[in-house]
PDB file of all heavy atoms in Angstrom:
ATOM      1  N   ARG A   1     -21.499 -20.858 -16.074  1.00 88.00           N
ATOM      2  CA  ARG A   1     -21.292 -22.184 -16.673  1.00 88.00           C
ATOM      3  C   ARG A   1     -19.926 -22.191 -17.347  1.00 88.00           C
ATOM      4  O   ARG A   1     -19.578 -21.273 -18.080  1.00 88.00           O
ATOM      5  CB  ARG A   1     -22.392 -22.486 -17.689  1.00 88.00           C
ATOM      6  CG  ARG A   1     -22.195 -23.775 -18.498  1.00 88.00           C
ATOM      7  CD  ARG A   1     -22.194 -25.015 -17.636  1.00 88.00           C
ATOM      8  NE  ARG A   1     -23.394 -25.139 -16.835  1.00 88.00           N
ATOM      9  CZ  ARG A   1     -24.526 -25.664 -17.301  1.00 88.00           C
ATOM     10  NH1 ARG A   1     -24.616 -26.076 -18.547  1.00 88.00           N
ATOM     11  NH2 ARG A   1     -25.573 -25.763 -16.511  1.00 88.00           N
ATOM     12  N   VAL A   2     -19.147 -23.225 -17.062  1.00 84.00           N
ATOM     13  CA  VAL A   2     -17.810 -23.329 -17.643  1.00 84.00           C
ATOM     14  C   VAL A   2     -17.719 -24.594 -18.475  1.00 84.00           C
ATOM     15  O   VAL A   2     -18.363 -25.603 -18.172  1.00 84.00           O
ATOM     16  CB  VAL A   2     -16.723 -23.326 -16.547  1.00 84.00           C
ATOM     17  CG1 VAL A   2     -16.702 -22.003 -15.830  1.00 84.00           C
ATOM     18  CG2 VAL A   2     -16.942 -24.446 -15.542  1.00 84.00           C
ATOM     19  N   PRO A   3     -16.922 -24.584 -19.542  1.00 79.00           N
ATOM     20  CA  PRO A   3     -16.766 -25.777 -20.374  1.00 79.00           C
ATOM     21  C   PRO A   3     -15.914 -26.820 -19.664  1.00 79.00           C
ATOM     22  O   PRO A   3     -15.198 -26.498 -18.698  1.00 79.00           O
ATOM     23  CB  PRO A   3     -16.052 -25.232 -21.619  1.00 79.00           C
ATOM     24  CG  PRO A   3     -15.267 -24.061 -21.102  1.00 79.00           C
ATOM     25  CD  PRO A   3     -16.119 -23.454 -20.019  1.00 79.00           C
ATOM     26  N   PRO A   4     -15.964 -28.074 -20.121  1.00 77.00           N
ATOM     27  CA  PRO A   4     -15.095 -29.101 -19.530  1.00 77.00           C
ATOM     28  C   PRO A   4     -13.628 -28.686 -19.652  1.00 77.00           C
ATOM     29  O   PRO A   4     -13.170 -28.309 -20.728  1.00 77.00           O
ATOM     30  CB  PRO A   4     -15.404 -30.350 -20.366  1.00 77.00           C
ATOM     31  CG  PRO A   4     -16.764 -30.101 -20.942  1.00 77.00           C
ATOM     32  CD  PRO A   4     -16.846 -28.625 -21.160  1.00 77.00           C
ATOM     33  N   THR A   5     -12.914 -28.718 -18.541  1.00 73.00           N
ATOM     34  CA  THR A   5     -11.518 -28.286 -18.545  1.00 73.00           C
ATOM     35  C   THR A   5     -10.782 -28.948 -17.388  1.00 73.00           C
ATOM     36  O   THR A   5     -11.387 -29.272 -16.359  1.00 73.00           O
ATOM     37  CB  THR A   5     -11.407 -26.757 -18.432  1.00 73.00           C
ATOM     38  OG1 THR A   5     -10.028 -26.395 -18.328  1.00 73.00           O
ATOM     39  CG2 THR A   5     -12.135 -26.248 -17.208  1.00 73.00           C
ATOM     40  N   GLN A   6      -9.489 -29.116 -17.561  1.00 72.00           N
ATOM     41  CA  GLN A   6      -8.647 -29.635 -16.492  1.00 72.00           C
ATOM     42  C   GLN A   6      -8.097 -28.509 -15.625  1.00 72.00           C
ATOM     43  O   GLN A   6      -7.413 -28.762 -14.626  1.00 72.00           O
ATOM     44  CB  GLN A   6      -7.488 -30.437 -17.094  1.00 72.00           C
ATOM     45  CG  GLN A   6      -7.925 -31.664 -17.886  1.00 72.00           C
ATOM     46  CD  GLN A   6      -8.661 -32.686 -17.029  1.00 72.00           C
ATOM     47  OE1 GLN A   6      -8.295 -32.926 -15.892  1.00 72.00           O
ATOM     48  NE2 GLN A   6      -9.705 -33.284 -17.575  1.00 72.00           N
ATOM     49  N   ASP A   7      -8.371 -27.254 -15.996  1.00 76.00           N
ATOM     50  CA  ASP A   7      -7.805 -26.115 -15.274  1.00 76.00           C
ATOM     51  C   ASP A   7      -8.634 -25.711 -14.069  1.00 76.00           C
ATOM     52  O   ASP A   7      -8.207 -24.863 -13.290  1.00 76.00           O
ATOM     53  CB  ASP A   7      -7.668 -24.917 -16.229  1.00 76.00           C
ATOM     54  CG  ASP A   7      -6.631 -25.157 -17.317  1.00 76.00           C
ATOM     55  OD1 ASP A   7      -5.635 -25.847 -17.028  1.00 76.00           O
ATOM     56  OD2 ASP A   7      -6.824 -24.674 -18.439  1.00 76.00           O
ATOM     57  N   LEU A   8      -9.820 -26.282 -13.914  1.00 83.00           N
ATOM     58  CA  LEU A   8     -10.659 -25.968 -12.767  1.00 83.00           C
ATOM     59  C   LEU A   8     -11.042 -27.262 -12.059  1.00 83.00           C
ATOM     60  O   LEU A   8     -11.543 -28.198 -12.688  1.00 83.00           O
ATOM     61  CB  LEU A   8     -11.925 -25.227 -13.189  1.00 83.00           C
ATOM     62  CG  LEU A   8     -11.771 -23.778 -13.649  1.00 83.00           C
ATOM     63  CD1 LEU A   8     -13.121 -23.216 -14.058  1.00 83.00           C
ATOM     64  CD2 LEU A   8     -11.154 -22.916 -12.568  1.00 83.00           C
ATOM     65  N   LEU A   9     -10.825 -27.297 -10.755  1.00 86.00           N
ATOM     66  CA  LEU A   9     -11.185 -28.459  -9.958  1.00 86.00           C
ATOM     67  C   LEU A   9     -12.324 -28.087  -9.020  1.00 86.00           C
ATOM     68  O   LEU A   9     -12.352 -26.969  -8.475  1.00 86.00           O
ATOM     69  CB  LEU A   9      -9.987 -28.935  -9.135  1.00 86.00           C
ATOM     70  CG  LEU A   9      -8.766 -29.401  -9.933  1.00 86.00           C
ATOM     71  CD1 LEU A   9      -7.621 -29.755  -8.980  1.00 86.00           C
ATOM     72  CD2 LEU A   9      -9.117 -30.594 -10.808  1.00 86.00           C
ATOM     73  N   PRO A  10     -13.287 -28.990  -8.814  1.00 88.00           N
ATOM     74  CA  PRO A  10     -14.381 -28.693  -7.886  1.00 88.00           C
ATOM     75  C   PRO A  10     -13.843 -28.320  -6.511  1.00 88.00           C
ATOM     76  O   PRO A  10     -12.899 -28.927  -6.006  1.00 88.00           O
ATOM     77  CB  PRO A  10     -15.164 -30.012  -7.849  1.00 88.00           C
ATOM     78  CG  PRO A  10     -14.847 -30.670  -9.154  1.00 88.00           C
ATOM     79  CD  PRO A  10     -13.433 -30.312  -9.458  1.00 88.00           C
ATOM     80  N   GLY A  11     -14.447 -27.291  -5.929  1.00 89.00           N
ATOM     81  CA  GLY A  11     -14.017 -26.816  -4.624  1.00 89.00           C
ATOM     82  C   GLY A  11     -13.015 -25.681  -4.675  1.00 89.00           C
ATOM     83  O   GLY A  11     -12.694 -25.078  -3.644  1.00 89.00           O
ATOM     84  N   THR A  12     -12.520 -25.352  -5.882  1.00 89.00           N
ATOM     85  CA  THR A  12     -11.511 -24.303  -6.030  1.00 89.00           C
ATOM     86  C   THR A  12     -12.130 -22.913  -5.858  1.00 89.00           C
ATOM     87  O   THR A  12     -13.203 -22.635  -6.378  1.00 89.00           O
ATOM     88  CB  THR A  12     -10.847 -24.393  -7.415  1.00 89.00           C
ATOM     89  OG1 THR A  12     -10.236 -25.678  -7.561  1.00 89.00           O
ATOM     90  CG2 THR A  12      -9.785 -23.319  -7.581  1.00 89.00           C
ATOM     91  N   THR A  13     -11.410 -22.048  -5.146  1.00 93.00           N
ATOM     92  CA  THR A  13     -11.793 -20.639  -5.074  1.00 93.00           C
ATOM     93  C   THR A  13     -11.246 -19.921  -6.302  1.00 93.00           C
ATOM     94  O   THR A  13     -10.098 -20.129  -6.689  1.00 93.00           O
ATOM     95  CB  THR A  13     -11.232 -19.984  -3.806  1.00 93.00           C
ATOM     96  OG1 THR A  13     -11.760 -20.664  -2.664  1.00 93.00           O
ATOM     97  CG2 THR A  13     -11.617 -18.515  -3.732  1.00 93.00           C
ATOM     98  N   VAL A  14     -12.062 -19.095  -6.929  1.00 94.00           N
ATOM     99  CA  VAL A  14     -11.656 -18.406  -8.150  1.00 94.00           C
ATOM    100  C   VAL A  14     -11.920 -16.909  -8.023  1.00 94.00           C
ATOM    101  O   VAL A  14     -12.792 -16.472  -7.269  1.00 94.00           O
ATOM    102  CB  VAL A  14     -12.399 -18.943  -9.390  1.00 94.00           C
ATOM    103  CG1 VAL A  14     -12.097 -20.411  -9.620  1.00 94.00           C
ATOM    104  CG2 VAL A  14     -13.891 -18.719  -9.273  1.00 94.00           C
ATOM    105  N   ARG A  15     -11.120 -16.156  -8.771  1.00 94.00           N
ATOM    106  CA  ARG A  15     -11.380 -14.723  -8.974  1.00 94.00           C
ATOM    107  C   ARG A  15     -11.955 -14.563 -10.372  1.00 94.00           C
ATOM    108  O   ARG A  15     -11.394 -15.076 -11.337  1.00 94.00           O
ATOM    109  CB  ARG A  15     -10.088 -13.912  -8.829  1.00 94.00           C
ATOM    110  CG  ARG A  15     -10.249 -12.425  -9.173  1.00 94.00           C
ATOM    111  CD  ARG A  15      -8.962 -11.664  -8.876  1.00 94.00           C
ATOM    112  NE  ARG A  15      -7.828 -12.234  -9.592  1.00 94.00           N
ATOM    113  CZ  ARG A  15      -7.476 -11.923 -10.830  1.00 94.00           C
ATOM    114  NH1 ARG A  15      -8.204 -11.049 -11.522  1.00 94.00           N
ATOM    115  NH2 ARG A  15      -6.419 -12.473 -11.391  1.00 94.00           N
ATOM    116  N   ALA A  16     -13.068 -13.885 -10.476  1.00 94.00           N
ATOM    117  CA  ALA A  16     -13.758 -13.754 -11.761  1.00 94.00           C
ATOM    118  C   ALA A  16     -13.735 -12.310 -12.228  1.00 94.00           C
ATOM    119  O   ALA A  16     -13.967 -11.385 -11.441  1.00 94.00           O
ATOM    120  CB  ALA A  16     -15.200 -14.236 -11.645  1.00 94.00           C
ATOM    121  N   GLU A  17     -13.436 -12.128 -13.506  1.00 92.00           N
ATOM    122  CA  GLU A  17     -13.519 -10.812 -14.148  1.00 92.00           C
ATOM    123  C   GLU A  17     -14.705 -10.844 -15.104  1.00 92.00           C
ATOM    124  O   GLU A  17     -14.668 -11.490 -16.148  1.00 92.00           O
ATOM    125  CB  GLU A  17     -12.223 -10.492 -14.910  1.00 92.00           C
ATOM    126  CG  GLU A  17     -10.965 -10.484 -14.041  1.00 92.00           C
ATOM    127  CD  GLU A  17     -10.970  -9.360 -13.017  1.00 92.00           C
ATOM    128  OE1 GLU A  17     -11.675  -8.367 -13.256  1.00 92.00           O
ATOM    129  OE2 GLU A  17     -10.270  -9.477 -11.995  1.00 92.00           O
ATOM    130  N   ILE A  18     -15.776 -10.161 -14.739  1.00 92.00           N
ATOM    131  CA  ILE A  18     -16.997 -10.147 -15.540  1.00 92.00           C
ATOM    132  C   ILE A  18     -16.938  -8.962 -16.491  1.00 92.00           C
ATOM    133  O   ILE A  18     -16.769  -7.817 -16.057  1.00 92.00           O
ATOM    134  CB  ILE A  18     -18.243 -10.036 -14.645  1.00 92.00           C
ATOM    135  CG1 ILE A  18     -18.237 -11.139 -13.585  1.00 92.00           C
ATOM    136  CG2 ILE A  18     -19.512 -10.108 -15.488  1.00 92.00           C
ATOM    137  CD1 ILE A  18     -19.322 -10.977 -12.542  1.00 92.00           C
ATOM    138  N   ASP A  19     -17.049  -9.232 -17.786  1.00 88.00           N
ATOM    139  CA  ASP A  19     -17.009  -8.167 -18.786  1.00 88.00           C
ATOM    140  C   ASP A  19     -18.380  -7.520 -18.877  1.00 88.00           C
ATOM    141  O   ASP A  19     -19.322  -8.083 -19.432  1.00 88.00           O
ATOM    142  CB  ASP A  19     -16.594  -8.739 -20.141  1.00 88.00           C
ATOM    143  CG  ASP A  19     -16.356  -7.646 -21.185  1.00 88.00           C
ATOM    144  OD1 ASP A  19     -16.680  -6.476 -20.891  1.00 88.00           O
ATOM    145  OD2 ASP A  19     -15.864  -7.955 -22.279  1.00 88.00           O
ATOM    146  N   THR A  20     -18.481  -6.331 -18.308  1.00 84.00           N
ATOM    147  CA  THR A  20     -19.756  -5.603 -18.327  1.00 84.00           C
ATOM    148  C   THR A  20     -19.728  -4.485 -19.358  1.00 84.00           C
ATOM    149  O   THR A  20     -20.406  -3.461 -19.192  1.00 84.00           O
ATOM    150  CB  THR A  20     -20.067  -5.020 -16.935  1.00 84.00           C
ATOM    151  OG1 THR A  20     -19.002  -4.133 -16.549  1.00 84.00           O
ATOM    152  CG2 THR A  20     -20.192  -6.124 -15.906  1.00 84.00           C
ATOM    153  N   THR A  21     -18.955  -4.658 -20.437  1.00 75.00           N
ATOM    154  CA  THR A  21     -18.815  -3.649 -21.476  1.00 75.00           C
ATOM    155  C   THR A  21     -20.167  -3.214 -22.019  1.00 75.00           C
ATOM    156  O   THR A  21     -21.023  -4.043 -22.331  1.00 75.00           O
ATOM    157  CB  THR A  21     -17.963  -4.188 -22.640  1.00 75.00           C
ATOM    158  OG1 THR A  21     -16.680  -4.528 -22.132  1.00 75.00           O
ATOM    159  CG2 THR A  21     -17.812  -3.155 -23.733  1.00 75.00           C
ATOM    160  N   ARG A  22     -20.361  -1.916 -22.140  1.00 65.00           N
ATOM    161  CA  ARG A  22     -21.603  -1.415 -22.726  1.00 65.00           C
ATOM    162  C   ARG A  22     -21.613  -1.677 -24.227  1.00 65.00           C
ATOM    163  O   ARG A  22     -20.587  -1.629 -24.880  1.00 65.00           O
ATOM    164  CB  ARG A  22     -21.729   0.087 -22.475  1.00 65.00           C
ATOM    165  CG  ARG A  22     -21.923   0.452 -21.010  1.00 65.00           C
ATOM    166  CD  ARG A  22     -22.179   1.920 -20.858  1.00 65.00           C
ATOM    167  NE  ARG A  22     -22.449   2.282 -19.475  1.00 65.00           N
ATOM    168  CZ  ARG A  22     -22.776   3.504 -19.079  1.00 65.00           C
ATOM    169  NH1 ARG A  22     -22.871   4.474 -19.965  1.00 65.00           N
ATOM    170  NH2 ARG A  22     -23.007   3.765 -17.809  1.00 65.00           N
ATOM    171  N   PRO A  23     -22.786  -1.922 -24.790  1.00 58.00           N
ATOM    172  CA  PRO A  23     -22.838  -2.205 -26.224  1.00 58.00           C
ATOM    173  C   PRO A  23     -22.492  -1.014 -27.109  1.00 58.00           C
ATOM    174  O   PRO A  23     -22.089  -1.172 -28.236  1.00 58.00           O
ATOM    175  CB  PRO A  23     -24.300  -2.634 -26.440  1.00 58.00           C
ATOM    176  CG  PRO A  23     -25.046  -2.005 -25.297  1.00 58.00           C
ATOM    177  CD  PRO A  23     -24.100  -2.022 -24.142  1.00 58.00           C
ATOM    178  N   ARG A  24     -22.610   0.223 -26.585  1.00 65.00           N
ATOM    179  CA  ARG A  24     -22.326   1.396 -27.416  1.00 65.00           C
ATOM    180  C   ARG A  24     -20.844   1.746 -27.357  1.00 65.00           C
ATOM    181  O   ARG A  24     -20.171   1.529 -26.353  1.00 65.00           O
ATOM    182  CB  ARG A  24     -23.151   2.592 -26.947  1.00 65.00           C
ATOM    183  CG  ARG A  24     -22.814   3.052 -25.534  1.00 65.00           C
ATOM    184  CD  ARG A  24     -23.735   4.166 -25.095  1.00 65.00           C
ATOM    185  NE  ARG A  24     -23.410   4.636 -23.756  1.00 65.00           N
ATOM    186  CZ  ARG A  24     -22.553   5.614 -23.503  1.00 65.00           C
ATOM    187  NH1 ARG A  24     -21.937   6.219 -24.507  1.00 65.00           N
ATOM    188  NH2 ARG A  24     -22.297   6.001 -22.263  1.00 65.00           N
ATOM    189  N   ALA A  25     -20.331   2.308 -28.449  1.00 74.00           N
ATOM    190  CA  ALA A  25     -18.953   2.780 -28.506  1.00 74.00           C
ATOM    191  C   ALA A  25     -18.929   4.277 -28.219  1.00 74.00           C
ATOM    192  O   ALA A  25     -19.857   5.006 -28.575  1.00 74.00           O
ATOM    193  CB  ALA A  25     -18.348   2.488 -29.874  1.00 74.00           C
ATOM    194  N   VAL A  26     -17.866   4.739 -27.565  1.00 83.00           N
ATOM    195  CA  VAL A  26     -17.755   6.146 -27.195  1.00 83.00           C
ATOM    196  C   VAL A  26     -16.344   6.631 -27.505  1.00 83.00           C
ATOM    197  O   VAL A  26     -15.427   5.845 -27.718  1.00 83.00           O
ATOM    198  CB  VAL A  26     -18.050   6.350 -25.690  1.00 83.00           C
ATOM    199  CG1 VAL A  26     -19.482   5.995 -25.364  1.00 83.00           C
ATOM    200  CG2 VAL A  26     -17.088   5.522 -24.845  1.00 83.00           C
ATOM    201  N   LEU A  27     -16.184   7.966 -27.530  1.00 89.00           N
ATOM    202  CA  LEU A  27     -14.856   8.532 -27.690  1.00 89.00           C
ATOM    203  C   LEU A  27     -14.150   8.387 -26.344  1.00 89.00           C
ATOM    204  O   LEU A  27     -14.659   8.853 -25.316  1.00 89.00           O
ATOM    205  CB  LEU A  27     -14.936   9.998 -28.095  1.00 89.00           C
ATOM    206  CG  LEU A  27     -13.608  10.644 -28.522  1.00 89.00           C
ATOM    207  CD1 LEU A  27     -13.849  11.682 -29.609  1.00 89.00           C
ATOM    208  CD2 LEU A  27     -12.906  11.288 -27.343  1.00 89.00           C
ATOM    209  N   SER A  28     -13.010   7.722 -26.349  1.00 89.00           N
ATOM    210  CA  SER A  28     -12.303   7.483 -25.104  1.00 89.00           C
ATOM    211  C   SER A  28     -10.821   7.782 -25.272  1.00 89.00           C
ATOM    212  O   SER A  28     -10.277   7.747 -26.382  1.00 89.00           O
ATOM    213  CB  SER A  28     -12.483   6.024 -24.651  1.00 89.00           C
ATOM    214  OG  SER A  28     -11.882   5.137 -25.579  1.00 89.00           O
ATOM    215  N   LEU A  29     -10.181   8.104 -24.135  1.00 92.00           N
ATOM    216  CA  LEU A  29      -8.761   8.422 -24.100  1.00 92.00           C
ATOM    217  C   LEU A  29      -8.103   7.632 -22.978  1.00 92.00           C
ATOM    218  O   LEU A  29      -8.767   7.255 -21.998  1.00 92.00           O
ATOM    219  CB  LEU A  29      -8.552   9.920 -23.839  1.00 92.00           C
ATOM    220  CG  LEU A  29      -9.079  10.887 -24.900  1.00 92.00           C
ATOM    221  CD1 LEU A  29      -8.949  12.326 -24.380  1.00 92.00           C
ATOM    222  CD2 LEU A  29      -8.322  10.719 -26.213  1.00 92.00           C
ATOM    223  N   PRO A  30      -6.804   7.391 -23.076  1.00 91.00           N
ATOM    224  CA  PRO A  30      -6.096   6.761 -21.950  1.00 91.00           C
ATOM    225  C   PRO A  30      -6.234   7.616 -20.693  1.00 91.00           C
ATOM    226  O   PRO A  30      -6.324   8.848 -20.768  1.00 91.00           O
ATOM    227  CB  PRO A  30      -4.646   6.705 -22.430  1.00 91.00           C
ATOM    228  CG  PRO A  30      -4.718   6.772 -23.919  1.00 91.00           C
ATOM    229  CD  PRO A  30      -5.909   7.628 -24.229  1.00 91.00           C
ATOM    230  N   ARG A  31      -6.253   6.973 -19.545  1.00 91.00           N
ATOM    231  CA  ARG A  31      -6.395   7.713 -18.291  1.00 91.00           C
ATOM    232  C   ARG A  31      -5.288   8.738 -18.123  1.00 91.00           C
ATOM    233  O   ARG A  31      -5.483   9.797 -17.523  1.00 91.00           O
ATOM    234  CB  ARG A  31      -6.393   6.742 -17.107  1.00 91.00           C
ATOM    235  CG  ARG A  31      -7.554   5.771 -17.087  1.00 91.00           C
ATOM    236  CD  ARG A  31      -7.542   4.939 -15.834  1.00 91.00           C
ATOM    237  NE  ARG A  31      -7.872   5.739 -14.652  1.00 91.00           N
ATOM    238  CZ  ARG A  31      -7.834   5.268 -13.413  1.00 91.00           C
ATOM    239  NH1 ARG A  31      -7.462   4.021 -13.198  1.00 91.00           N
ATOM    240  NH2 ARG A  31      -8.150   6.037 -12.393  1.00 91.00           N
ATOM    241  N   SER A  32      -4.085   8.419 -18.638  1.00 93.00           N
ATOM    242  CA  SER A  32      -2.948   9.330 -18.482  1.00 93.00           C
ATOM    243  C   SER A  32      -3.150  10.643 -19.224  1.00 93.00           C
ATOM    244  O   SER A  32      -2.468  11.631 -18.931  1.00 93.00           O
ATOM    245  CB  SER A  32      -1.668   8.651 -18.983  1.00 93.00           C
ATOM    246  OG  SER A  32      -1.785   8.319 -20.372  1.00 93.00           O
TER     247      SER A  32
END
């Protein structure tokens, strides 16, 4: 569901980034 906006027109193809972040925090480091 998207809010009313002028940035999306019906029929438009979109790329979606779904945030599937886990609720727990962990010790993490940059990949490098």
Side-chain angles (χ1 to χ4, degrees):
R1 173 63 56 84
V2 295
T5 175
Q6 297 298 320
D7 293 326
L8 288 179
L9 298 176
T12 301
T13 300
V14 298
R15 174 174 57 86
E17 301 294 337
I18 306 172
D19 188 351
T20 59
T21 300
R22 293 186 176 184
R24 64 184 181 90
V26 295
L27 190 146
S28 65
L29 297 172
R31 297 185 70 185
S32 61

